C-alpha cells in the first residue's frame, strides 16, 4: 500500500506533514460527503427558522452519537473521523438549537 504525503500549515506557519494511504483518503472523501450533507438543512433552518418536521429526539440522539464518534476519533487519532464529526456537530447542533428554541411553534 502506498502513502500520499499531505501537508498543511499551523498558526505559526510551520509546515506539518501527514501521510495517508488510499483507505484513509477514501474515508476522508466519505467523511466530506456525509458531513456536508447537513449543510443545506442547516442553512435553510438558519435562514427560515422553520423547524417543522424536525424531530428534537432524533437530533438529540444524533448529536450524542456525533460527540462519541468525535471522541473516538481523537482517541485513535483518525483525522477523517475527527474532521467529519467536528464539522457535523456544528451543523447538527445549529439545527438542534433552533428546534429547541422554537419548541412546538411552527414558523413559515
Amino acid at each position: 500500500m502506498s502513502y500520499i504525503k499531505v501537508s498543511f500549515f499551523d498558526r505559526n506557519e510551520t509546515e506539518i506533514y501527514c501521510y495517508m494511504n488510499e483507505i484513509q483518503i477514501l474515508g476522508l472523501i466519505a467523511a466530506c460527503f456525509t458531513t456536508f450533507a447537513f449543510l443545506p438543512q442547516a442553512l435553510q433552518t438558519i435562514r427560515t427558522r422553520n423547524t417543522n418536521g424536525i424531530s428534537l429526539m432524533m437530533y438529540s440522539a444524533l448529536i450524542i452519537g456525533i460527540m462519541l464518534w468525535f471522541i473516538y476519533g481523537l482517541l485513535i487519532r483518525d483525522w477523517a473521523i475527527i474532521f467529519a464529526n467536528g464539522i457535523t456537530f456544528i451543523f447538527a447542533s445549529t439545527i438542534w438549537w433552533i428546534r429547541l428554541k422554537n419548541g412546538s411553534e411552527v414558523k413559515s
Side-chain angles (χ1 to χ4, degrees):
M1 184 167 299
S2 62
Y3 287 86
I4 298 169
K5 181 179 174 181
V6 179
S7 63
F8 55 94
F9 294 91
D10 66 8
R11 287 185 283 181
N12 299 323
E13 297 186 19
T14 303
E15 191 168 15
I16 298 173
Y17 299 101
C18 175
Y19 292 91
M20 300 178 80
N21 63 36
E22 292 90 356
I23 295 170
Q24 291 168 318
I25 291 172
L26 177 64
L28 189 58
I29 292 168
C32 287
F33 275 96
T34 57
T35 296
F36 290 107
F38 276 89
L39 186 58
Q41 183 67 56
L43 291 174
Q44 179 179 352
T45 302
I46 290 167
R47 189 175 62 252
T48 66
R49 297 290 199 232
N50 184 347
T51 56
N52 188 25
I54 293 177
S55 167
L56 188 60
M57 184 68 79
M58 178 272 203
Y59 265 86
S60 298
L62 178 66
I63 288 169
I64 291 169
I66 291 167
M67 284 189 302
L68 293 173
W69 273 112
F70 181 79
I71 292 167
Y72 173 75
L74 290 173
L75 293 173
I76 66 168
R77 297 181 179 157
D78 187 315
W79 288 106
I81 294 173
I82 295 167
F83 166 78
N85 289 285
I87 301 296
T88 303
F89 178 80
I90 293 167
F91 295 155
S93 294
T94 301
I95 296 166
W96 178 84
W97 180 251
I98 293 170
R99 172 62 178 89
L100 186 66
K101 284 177 49 178
N102 284 350
S104 60
E105 180 181 341
V106 177
K107 294 184 179 181
S108 46

